[in-house]
Amino acid sequence: SQTIHQWPATLVQPVGSPLSLECTVEGTSNPNLYWYRQAAGRGLQLLFYSVGIGQISSEVPQNLSASRPQDRQFILSSKKLLLSDSGFYLCAWDTGGRLTEAFFGQGTRLTVV
Amino acid sequence: QQQVKQSPQSLIVQKGGISIINCAYENTAFDYFPWYQQFPGKGPALLIAIRPDVSEKKEGRFTISFNKSAKQFSLHIMDSQPGDSATYFCGSLFGNEKLTFGTGTRLTIIP
């Protein structure tokens, strides 16, 4: 069966510090991978998606970047965090076919102080 | 810019009543419209989904109504229960590779 792992669950970081959130998927190959951010009143904002290794599409200009070094690994990074980067970050995957179901990780609650 | 516009932002419904959440879209290239349910502190999970070639899909107490000409779709929860209290997101899929969501509706079912 397929599973998705996302860590850490919670993170408190000072302004200006770097960030690295990791997401890995098991039990499937060549998934589409997504990073979303959930902030109060803004729903699920798509940040990045990837259809393959090294292929990253950015949806929102921002202080963050994403990388996909392996087929089932998706990393969200920042060199210098801003207060506005606080939020609930969710990784997700789907198979990329029609009528696909996306599976979400448990999320990372990031607080920038 | 949201790909789909969702309303209301919050909704309170009495137990046993009907909960209705609406979404509207602009891009006619979208061909898959899912609804996700999210409980506090958890990731969203797929609830029900529809393709634009049908006008309605029902699964248990949950029904999606789809109006292609109006570019609108809605989620109806019949006989709403306290366990249905959650945040609901409508979504759209473009080109099999970009799943985007509305702003969410926080549903509260009161006794």
Side-chain angles (χ1 to χ4, degrees):
Chain A
S1 63
Q2 304 92 348
T3 56
I4 179 168
H5 301 281
Q6 184 181 345
W7 68 92
T10 60
L11 191 60
V12 179
Q13 292 283 99
V15 169
S17 64
L19 173 73
S20 181
L21 301 181
E22 188 165 343
C23 173
T24 59
V25 180
E26 297 178 357
T28 188
S29 59
N30 197 32
N32 288 346
L33 295 172
Y34 304 84
W35 278 111
Y36 294 90
R37 178 169 58 201
Q38 189 169 18
R42 296 198 64 185
L44 283 168
Q45 183 183 31
L46 178 62
L47 302 177
F48 301 95
Y49 70 97
S50 171
V51 299
I53 296 174
Q55 301 178 62
I56 308 295
S57 296
S58 174
E59 288 296 299
V60 182
Q62 59 206 326
N63 184 41
L64 302 169
S65 62
S67 62
R68 185 171 178 173
Q70 300 181 45
D71 181 45
R72 289 171 289 178
Q73 183 184 30
F74 206 23
I75 298 172
L76 182 69
S77 304
S78 173
K79 293 182 179 179
K80 290 185 177 182
L81 284 169
L82 306 172
L83 286 174
S84 58
D85 292 324
S86 294
F88 190 49
Y89 289 82
L90 288 156
C91 179
W93 73 272
D94 65 33
T95 59
R98 296 195 73 202
L99 307 183
T100 184
E101 175 178 358
F103 298 91
F104 284 81
Q106 290 298 297
T108 296
R109 174 72 61 186
L110 171 66
T111 304
V112 182
V113 296
Chain B
Q1 184 178 2
Q2 293 290 336
Q3 302 286 354
V4 288
K5 294 184 179 179
Q6 184 172 346
S7 63
Q9 187 173 4
S10 63
L11 181 63
I12 299 174
V13 175
Q14 202 146 20
K15 179 182 175 182
I18 302 174
S19 304
I20 302 174
I21 304 170
N22 302 296
C23 281
Y25 65 98
E26 291 293 329
N27 191 338
T28 56
F30 294 152
D31 63 355
Y32 175 65
F33 300 92
W35 283 92
Y36 280 73
Q37 180 188 55
Q38 183 184 29
F39 294 105
K42 304 294 184 182
L46 180 66
L47 184 63
I48 187 172
I50 197 169
R51 292 175 54 185
D53 54 354
V54 298
S55 60
E56 185 176 282
K57 182 174 183 180
K58 184 176 181 179
E59 292 183 1
R61 295 185 294 108
F62 301 92
T63 300
I64 299 179
S65 296
F66 189 85
N67 186 331
K68 190 174 183 178
S69 61
K71 293 188 284 187
Q72 295 177 347
F73 59 108
S74 59
L75 175 68
H76 296 238
I77 305 175
M78 311 299 289
D79 187 27
S80 299
Q81 299 297 311
D84 298 329
S85 296
T87 299
Y88 293 81
F89 294 94
C90 60
S92 61
L93 184 65
F94 175 71
N96 294 339
E97 64 181 35
K98 191 168 77 171
L99 182 59
T100 58
F101 293 94
T103 51
T105 297
R106 180 173 290 182
L107 174 65
T108 303
I109 307 301
I110 57 176

